[in-house]
Every structure is written in C-alpha cells, then in structure tokens.
Amino acid sequence: MAHSENETLNQVLELVEVFKAFDSDDDGQITGTELGGIMRSLGYNVSAQEVDAMMREADSDRDGLLSVGEFLEMNTKDLDLGELASFLETATLASVQSSDVNVDVEDLRLIVQCLLQTQE
C-alpha cells in the first residue's frame, strides 16, 4: 500500500475514533450537539447555525442523526480514498438499507485497524 493510502486509512481510523468518543449514548449515531462537540474538539469554532447546516447536508436519510457512515462521508469527500471509498460506500449502504446487516462504529474501527496492520 502506498504511503498516502496508509495516511488516508489512519485519517479514517481517527475519524471513527472521534465519532465513537462523542457518541455519548453509544448508539452508533450522533446528534447535532455531539457533532458540535466533535467540531470544537478538532479546533473549529462553529456556531449552532453552522452545525445545523452540516447536519442537514450530511444527514442523507433525514432522521436528524448522523450515522458513522454519514459522518465519514461528510469528512472524507475531499480525500482520495481509492479502494477504501468502495468499502465505505458499501458499509454505509448496508447500515442504512438493511436491518439484517449493520456496520457499526466498532466494526469500521476494527476493519480499518486490520487494513493498517496488514499493510505494515
């Protein structure tokens, strides 16, 4: 795996860890308040209106919450994800469209960690 791909995997893992840390009720989804906390922890001074706008843009299923897939899509849309992009898309679709298959935060964290370990 190329160095830049490894860096991208690390960025995705960090995003998953941040999501998990701010998912205060550990339900695999974050509220606007939790998103605001994430943005402030990353050094962004965001207003309530900016957080609301981010929620409206990223909340693709319009349930008022961000899943880990929606959060990752919002934060990785400017990255060149290569093969990881298709995995994230598949994982997001699986978690949104099927109640039988649910890819949660812990699953994504473990998968990204495994990908990183196999590339060392």
Side-chain angles (χ1 to χ4, degrees):
M1 179 177 282
H3 181 66
S4 64
E5 290 173 321
N6 203 13
E7 286 178 13
T8 301
L9 279 173
N10 275 318
Q11 287 177 314
V12 170
L13 180 58
E14 287 173 20
L15 287 169
V16 170
E17 293 296 338
V18 167
F19 181 95
K20 189 173 179 182
F22 280 86
D23 180 13
S24 58
D25 57 2
D26 202 30
D27 67 351
Q29 300 191 18
I30 58 173
T31 64
T33 301
E34 291 167 330
L35 177 61
I38 289 173
M39 298 307 293
R40 284 185 283 285
S41 79
L42 296 173
Y44 298 102
N45 186 16
V46 293
S47 68
Q49 292 83 3
E50 290 170 317
V51 171
D52 288 344
M54 285 186 259
M55 286 292 292
R56 281 192 306 276
E57 182 180 333
D59 183 16
S60 59
D61 62 4
R62 303 290 179 239
D63 65 355
L65 300 167
L66 290 186
S67 67
V68 67
E70 290 168 328
F71 178 75
L72 286 174
E73 187 171 320
M74 176 178 82
N75 286 286
T76 60
K77 63 184 172 193
D78 296 330
L79 296 177
D80 180 14
L81 296 177
E83 292 178 20
L84 186 58
S86 62
F87 162 74
L88 291 174
E89 183 177 333
T90 301
T92 301
L93 287 173
S95 66
V96 168
Q97 295 178 347
S98 173
S99 60
D100 296 335
V101 179
N102 189 21
V103 178
D104 65 13
V105 178
E106 188 64 19
D107 294 334
L108 284 175
R109 185 183 70 75
L110 291 171
I111 290 167
V112 173
Q113 280 184 325
C114 287
L115 286 170
L116 285 168
Q117 289 171 356
T118 61
Q119 302 307 318
E120 293 176 352

